């Protein structure tokens, strides 16, 4: 099936399921007492407010065995129903709330005026006519939101249109092609707007209309199954994900390390969400207060909201890449603009609805009594608007907090949000780490409610926090200019920039893996699926495209004993040997959890004996050792590597791993493992015997935040690439910190989520500066003693 048909299938199933679940819940709510109605509104709101990553994570855990058994190709089709169920369970409160609002306006006298109304007649003659318009509009909105959803299908590896657009854009960086392919999604948004434009929407009232007892008698035998069904709905959509979150041991064992490693991302998320919510509320109040309804502009804002975030994100990329926009795109201001534009329609419409409900008599009386316009607004108008207006601001706060697709392509350097970090971790299958960060996200979600509880000066406090965010995080670094700058470093004298964002030769899109050959040529793999070669001066030489990229892009590079380039394809579970011209010479590996097979291999290194060490993660977290490969005189492999030994399993204890992302080989053939989600380095002998470990979660010297790669020089000095702290840490052979280089930023010598490092024979260090879409070369300082890099010995 094509991505478009998959999208229609998933969105249609999710909409039907959300409509049925919402109708069932609304029926049960209608017959409940006032207290239970209030609780029902809270639970419906909580379901709608759950982080999508939390919901996706629990279903990923449930389906992990199926996906492993089926394989990626079969899973992409077999998991379509599950994706529809997950999206339906996330969105059912929308049609439910719309139906509940309309039904709460049905007066008791209406029921009494129609004697004999009972059970199905009530449904047919009262409830359906009253709510059909609002409920069907809610179902249509669910369809549009499910069709535009990017995170859930992508994480479940279901090929829908938003996921396909993301992969295509990452590969080609072609905005026109992305929008041409995504045009059906825009049409869906237009159709939904046309459908709901003339519908009447009412917020559910607890005490208005007939009370619960009257409705229970009218519904008769329908109310009990509706109540049972609503409990099942809540158990599936709310109880199940929260239960797995709170009942999972790794959630709590990994919480403190995750908080320490993700503190900066959490601060960025909270400050940006507060700033966007308060800013939109202020602008909406000003627009409504001016008396101009600006209806066409508001409907355009709604269309922008219904357009998939991945499409709007594509549109911003070339605009923000212009030199004139550099200072703006490298600061949190880009978040305010992009996210404010995406979610403006929500706050604006709710503030307008709140304004329509205002009784002007109070304000007029105050004006007659001598009060000024602002005082009359504050004493009479604002108290009537406050509830709905603040609900809109809080909704936007949550949506910004969870947002991934709108910002994933335009992250400012060093300003990664917590939701993007969770998405990246979840994309690579780290349930415990994701659960821990979801606890942090839920805490941030409750922050405004806590401020509200503390005092009624909630809006003022929010504004103060937002202003603090502006002052502390809103200013971009000063751009130093040039592609080479001096470094204040004991080891390196200069930082030189290689490449920029793009798909042309010599350009990159999120470079992720590096290796230097024996002639100090540099090879770079990025998410376009290309391998590019540069000479020692950083000049582009040639490139080749990996033949298969549908399931995923290459990640992990090395050199074999004869200097051939090794490229790992994690999603194809194999290792490739290329010559320096990009010709494929050998390929080995197969999928499986048994010894000698692979589940998402990530890194490869070769020791002085010519033995291969590969790390893996997800279902297995281990390191495997293989024998050398033997090539004949004609350059063809005569004997592929054979499995020799393996060690490690998922966990936090010594000898266990939580995403063994990077590998390094010491001068004594010790194997160094960048145990990224445990925020440490572990060292083993070649047989897997544990030698030592160092590091913990944090940003202080000697602490790490997601160490993704490690290189060890001939003296045993360790060079560690930290994805989370956006820096390079250098330690000596005794694990003592020598210095820390860089930090978050876009200027030369600073990094944004560096993913991989490589060292040449002169001791120069190359860094895959992924989110800055470039490679940085740190040039070794003259006078620093280095030994020649140990060459591989030919086995036998």
């Amino acid at each position: 099936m094509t991505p478009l048909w998959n999208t229609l299938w998933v969105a249609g199933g999710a909409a039907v399921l959300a409509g049925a679940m919402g109708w069932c819940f609304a029926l049960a709510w209608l017959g409940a007492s006032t207290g239970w109605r209030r609780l029902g509104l809270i639970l419906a709101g909580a379901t709608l407010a759950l982080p999508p990553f939390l919901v996706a994570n629990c279903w990923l855990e449930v389906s992990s065995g199926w996906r492993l058994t089926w394989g990626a190709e079969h899973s992409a089709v077999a998991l379509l129903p599950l994706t529809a169920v997950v999206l339906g369970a996330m969105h059912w409160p929308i049609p439910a709330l719309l139906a509940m609002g309309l039904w709460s306006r049905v007066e008791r006298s209406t029921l009494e005026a129609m004697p004999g109304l009972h059970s199905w007649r009530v449904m047919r003659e009262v409830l359906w006519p009253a709510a059909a318009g609002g409920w069907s509009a809610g179902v249509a909105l669910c369809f549009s939101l499910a069709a535009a959803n990017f995170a859930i299908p992508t994480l479940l590896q279901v090929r829908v249109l938003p996921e396909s657009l993301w992969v295509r854009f990452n590969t080609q960086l072609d905005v026109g092609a992305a929008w041409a392919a995504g045009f059906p999604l825009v049409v869906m948004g237009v159709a939904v707007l046309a459908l709901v434009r003339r519908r009447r929407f009412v917020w559910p009232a607890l005490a208005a209309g007939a009370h619960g007892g009257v409705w229970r008698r009218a519904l008769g035998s329908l109310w009990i199954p509706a109540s049972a069904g609503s409990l099942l709905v809540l158990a599936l959509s709310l109880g199940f994900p929260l239960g797995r979150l709170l009942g999972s041991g790794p959630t709590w064992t990994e919480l403190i390390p995750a908080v320490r490693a993700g503190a900066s991302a959490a601060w960025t998320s909270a400050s940006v969400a507060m700033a966007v919510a308060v800013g939109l509320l202020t602008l909406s109040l000003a627009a409504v207060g001016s008396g101009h309804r600006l209806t066409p502009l508001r409907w355009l804002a709604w269309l922008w909201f219904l357009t998939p975030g991945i499409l709007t994100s594509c549109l911003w990329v070339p605009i923000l890449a212009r030199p004139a926009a550099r200072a703006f795109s490298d600061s949190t201001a880009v978040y305010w603009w992009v996210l404010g534009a995406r979610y403006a329609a929500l706050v604006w419409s709710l503030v307008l609805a709140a304004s329509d409900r205002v009784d002007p008599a109070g304000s007029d009386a105050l004006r007659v009594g001598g009060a000024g316009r602002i005082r009359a607004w504050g004493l009479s108008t604002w108290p009537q608007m406050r509830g709905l207006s603040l609900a809109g601001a809080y909704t936007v706060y949550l949506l910004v907090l969870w947002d991934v697709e709108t910002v994933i392509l335009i992250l400012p350097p060093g300003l990664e949000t917590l939701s993007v970090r969770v998405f990246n971790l979840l994309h690579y299958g780290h349930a415990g780490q994701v659960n821990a960060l979801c606890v942090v996200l839920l805490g941030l979600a409750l922050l405004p409610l806590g401020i509200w509880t503390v005092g009624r000066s909630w809006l003022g406090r929010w504004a103060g926090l937002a202003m603090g965010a502006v002052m502390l995080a809103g200013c971009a670094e000063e751009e130093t200019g040039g592609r080479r700058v001096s470094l204040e470093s004991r080891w390196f004298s200069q930082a030189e920039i290689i490449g920029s964002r793009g798909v042309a030769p010599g350009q990159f899109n999120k470079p992720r893996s590096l290796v230097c050959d024996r002639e100090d040529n540099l090879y770079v793999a990025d998410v376009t699926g290309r391998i590019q070669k540069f000479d020692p001066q950083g000049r582009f030489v040639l490139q080749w495209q990996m033949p298969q990229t549908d399931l995923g892009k290459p990640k992990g590079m090395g050199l074999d004993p004869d200097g051939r380039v090794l490229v790992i394809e994690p999603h194809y579970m194999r290792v490739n040997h290329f010559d320096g011209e990009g010709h494929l010479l050998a390929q080995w590996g197969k999928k499986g959890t048994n010894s000698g097979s692979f589940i998402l291999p990530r890194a490869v290194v070769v020791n002085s004996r010519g033995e291969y060490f590969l790390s893996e993660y997800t279902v297995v977290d281990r390191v495997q050792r293989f024998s050398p490969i033997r090539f004949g005189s004609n350059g063809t492999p005569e004997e592929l590597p054979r499995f020799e030994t393996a060690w490690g399993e998922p966990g936090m204890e010594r000898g266990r791993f939580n995403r063994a992302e990077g590998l390094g080989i010491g001068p004594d053939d010790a194997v160094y493992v960048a145990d990224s989600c445990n925020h440490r380095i572990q060292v083993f002998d070649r047989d897997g015997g544990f030698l030592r470990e160092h590091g913990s979660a944090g940003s202080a010297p000697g602490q790490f935040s997601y160490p993704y790669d490690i290189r060890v020089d001939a003296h045993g000095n360790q060079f560690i690439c930290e994805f989370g702290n956006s820096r390079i840490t250098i330690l000596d052979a005794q694990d003592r910190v020598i210095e820390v280089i860089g930090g978050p930023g876009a200027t030369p010598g600073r990094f944004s989520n560096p993913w991989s490092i490589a060292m040449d024979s002169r001791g120069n260090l190359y860094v895959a500066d992924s989110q800055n879409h470039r490679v940085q070369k740190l040039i070794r300082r003259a006078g620093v003693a280095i030994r020649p890099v140990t060459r591989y010995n030919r086995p036998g």
Side-chain angles (χ1 to χ4, degrees):
M1 298 175 70
T2 66
L4 177 58
W5 282 111
N6 285 346
T7 301
L8 295 173
W9 201 102
V10 167
V16 171
L17 184 62
M21 295 170 76
W23 188 273
C24 179
F25 186 87
L27 280 179
W29 180 88
L30 195 59
S33 63
T34 301
W36 286 107
R37 283 186 175 186
R38 181 177 290 107
L39 179 61
L41 287 176
I42 293 172
L43 294 176
T47 302
L48 204 56
L50 274 185
F53 327 106
L54 173 59
V55 179
N57 193 24
C58 71
W59 287 107
L60 280 170
E61 289 179 312
V62 169
S63 64
S64 60
W66 313 339
R67 289 180 285 115
L68 180 62
T69 302
W70 294 336
E73 291 288 350
H74 182 60
S75 295
V77 176
L79 290 178
L80 283 172
L82 177 61
T83 307
V85 169
V86 174
L87 291 171
M90 288 173 55
H91 292 120
W92 66 261
I94 296 174
L97 290 170
L98 293 176
M100 288 152 59
L102 293 169
W103 288 344
S104 65
R105 296 311 192 264
V106 177
E107 297 293 339
R108 179 173 183 171
S109 58
T110 302
L111 299 176
E112 294 174 345
M114 303 173 68
L117 278 180
H118 191 70
S119 190
W120 287 103
R121 280 196 63 196
V122 173
M123 181 89 74
R124 184 175 62 252
E125 299 181 23
V126 177
L127 296 180
W128 176 252
W135 176 84
S136 60
V139 171
L141 185 57
C142 290
F143 178 88
S144 180
L145 293 174
N149 191 279
F150 163 78
I152 300 298
T154 300
L155 294 170
L156 289 174
Q157 298 181 355
V158 171
R159 295 174 185 169
V160 294
L161 203 48
E163 185 267 351
S164 177
L165 294 174
W166 179 55
V167 172
R168 176 181 297 186
F169 185 79
N170 269 327
T171 304
Q172 302 173 353
L173 291 183
D174 189 336
V175 178
W179 272 78
F183 186 71
L185 297 174
V186 180
V187 172
M188 292 179 196
V190 173
V192 169
L193 283 179
L195 178 64
V196 305
R197 184 174 182 181
R198 300 188 182 280
R199 302 294 184 185
R200 185 170 64 96
F201 304 112
V202 181
W203 184 254
L206 297 175
H211 59 75
V214 173
W215 279 114
R216 282 197 301 275
R217 288 192 295 273
L219 289 171
S221 60
L222 290 179
W223 188 75
I224 294 178
S227 299
S230 68
L231 292 177
L232 290 175
V233 167
L234 289 172
L236 174 69
S237 59
L238 189 63
F240 177 57
L242 285 179
R244 290 190 69 92
L245 172 71
L246 301 177
S248 172
T251 299
W252 309 109
T253 56
E254 298 192 32
L255 179 61
I256 299 303
V259 170
R260 289 174 177 170
S264 61
W267 164 248
T268 298
S269 294
S271 60
V272 167
M274 286 185 177
V276 172
V278 172
L280 287 180
L281 177 60
T282 303
L283 291 174
S284 299
L285 289 172
V288 172
S290 67
H292 300 290
R293 301 184 72 89
L294 304 174
T295 301
L297 185 60
R298 184 159 52 89
W299 285 110
L300 284 176
W302 271 111
L303 180 58
W304 194 252
F305 170 74
L306 292 174
T307 300
I310 200 67
L311 268 183
T312 63
S313 188
C314 292
L315 191 63
W316 291 117
V317 169
I319 297 173
L320 297 174
R322 297 177 180 275
R326 185 62 182 272
F328 176 76
S329 63
D330 288 350
S331 71
T332 52
V334 70
Y335 282 138
W336 306 338
W337 176 262
V338 171
L339 292 168
R342 177 156 178 75
Y343 297 115
L346 283 170
V347 183
W348 192 356
S349 296
L350 286 175
V351 168
L352 191 60
S355 176
D356 291 340
R357 295 165 55 178
V358 169
D359 183 357
S363 178
D364 292 342
L366 288 169
R367 295 294 300 276
V368 171
R373 181 179 178 182
I374 297 178
R375 181 173 174 79
W377 183 88
L379 291 176
S380 177
T381 305
W382 171 243
Q384 297 179 69
M385 297 176 58
R386 181 172 53 200
L388 198 54
S389 299
L390 293 182
Y394 182 62
T395 300
V396 167
Y397 173 84
L398 294 178
L399 290 173
V400 171
L401 209 57
W402 313 150
D403 193 284
V404 170
E405 56 263 39
T406 311
V407 301
I408 194 168
L409 296 173
I410 55 169
L411 295 176
L415 293 172
E416 179 188 32
T417 64
L418 200 58
S419 60
V420 171
R421 175 165 294 185
V422 169
F423 174 80
N424 287 331
L425 289 172
L426 192 53
H427 193 60
Y428 299 123
H430 292 279
Q433 197 84 183
V434 167
N435 278 340
L437 292 177
C438 280
V439 171
V440 178
L441 277 170
L442 289 175
L444 295 178
L446 296 174
L447 179 62
L449 300 181
I451 297 175
W452 172 268
T453 303
V454 169
R456 295 291 182 172
S457 57
W458 176 78
L459 185 59
R461 292 172 186 264
W462 243 26
L465 288 173
M467 290 301 295
V470 172
M471 291 185 290
L472 293 176
C475 298
E477 296 181 72
E478 183 181 355
E479 180 62 55
T480 60
R483 300 181 68 81
R484 178 181 287 196
V485 299
S486 298
L487 290 179
E488 294 183 5
S489 164
R490 169 184 169 183
W491 289 85
F492 303 105
S493 60
Q494 294 177 310
E496 179 181 338
I497 302 299
I498 300 174
S500 59
R501 189 171 195 175
V503 294
Q507 295 183 319
F508 309 111
N509 188 28
K510 295 182 181 176
R512 305 195 297 175
S513 296
L514 307 172
V515 70
C516 292
D517 67 14
R518 292 180 173 181
E519 287 73 41
D520 289 341
N521 296 304
L522 173 70
Y523 299 82
V524 184
D526 67 0
V527 298
T528 66
R530 295 176 299 165
I531 309 298
Q532 297 189 69
K533 179 179 179 180
F534 298 82
D535 68 15
Q537 287 71 47
R539 295 174 298 213
F540 174 81
V541 177
L542 58 86
Q543 69 178 22
W544 69 89
Q545 183 76 35
M546 297 299 290
Q548 291 179 283
T549 57
D550 290 344
L551 299 181
K553 306 302 191 296
K555 166 64 184 78
M557 301 181 74
L559 288 183
D560 74 8
D562 293 311
R564 303 176 186 89
V565 178
L566 300 171
V567 180
I568 294 178
E569 294 178 281
H571 295 272
Y572 295 97
M573 323 294 174
R574 65 194 180 197
V575 181
N576 303 277
H577 296 246
F578 293 93
D579 65 17
E581 302 301 311
H583 302 120
L584 181 63
L585 304 176
Q587 189 177 81
W588 52 281
K590 61 180 181 179
K591 179 179 180 179
T593 58
N594 296 328
S595 298
S597 300
F598 298 132
I599 293 294
L600 293 175
R602 297 300 286 176
V604 58
V605 290
V606 183
N607 67 7
S608 64
R609 302 167 183 251
E611 297 167 326
Y612 296 85
F613 296 82
L614 283 93
S615 62
E616 304 164 75
Y617 76 104
T618 58
V619 179
V620 294
D621 261 291
R622 66 186 179 186
V623 175
Q624 297 193 72
R625 190 183 82 207
F626 292 83
S627 66
I629 190 172
R630 296 185 183 274
F631 284 88
S633 58
N634 60 355
T636 59
E638 294 181 344
E639 182 180 349
L640 293 176
R642 302 182 310 275
F643 169 79
E644 293 184 339
T645 189
W647 69 90
E649 58 183 303
M652 303 178 68
E653 298 81 8
R654 287 181 173 182
R656 297 187 175 190
F657 307 114
N658 191 358
R659 189 176 179 182
E661 178 70 28
L663 297 176
I665 292 290
D668 54 356
D669 276 351
V671 181
Y672 290 72
V673 182
D675 189 7
S676 63
C677 288
N678 282 328
H679 312 288
R680 67 185 177 189
I681 303 297
Q682 295 196 69
V683 188
F684 303 86
D685 63 27
R686 60 180 289 271
D687 295 315
F690 178 83
L691 298 178
R692 67 185 192 274
E693 67 175 347
H694 63 86
S696 60
S699 57
Q703 295 182 323
F704 305 119
S705 176
Y706 302 100
Y708 268 18
D709 205 0
I710 180 169
R711 292 291 176 269
V712 186
D713 70 9
H715 298 278
N717 298 305
Q718 305 165 52
F719 300 79
I720 299 167
C721 167
E722 295 185 62
F723 182 89
N725 283 329
S726 291
R727 68 188 187 187
I728 305 297
T729 296
I730 305 175
L731 301 95
D732 65 15
Q734 287 72 47
D735 306 330
R736 296 171 300 198
V737 176
I738 298 175
E739 69 177 351
V740 175
I741 298 175
T747 56
R750 302 184 75 83
F751 312 102
S752 182
N753 298 144
W755 204 303
S756 177
I757 52 177
M759 186 172 287
D760 67 15
S761 64
R762 297 177 176 84
N764 301 315
L765 191 72
Y766 292 87
V767 183
D769 192 5
S770 67
Q771 201 57 50
N772 281 324
H773 309 285
R774 66 191 182 189
V775 173
Q776 293 200 58
K777 179 181 181 181
L778 307 185
I779 301 173
R780 181 65 68 100
R781 185 176 294 280
V784 176
I786 57 172
R787 296 178 186 170
V789 175
T790 302
R791 296 300 185 189
Y792 299 122
N793 298 320
R794 287 298 303 274

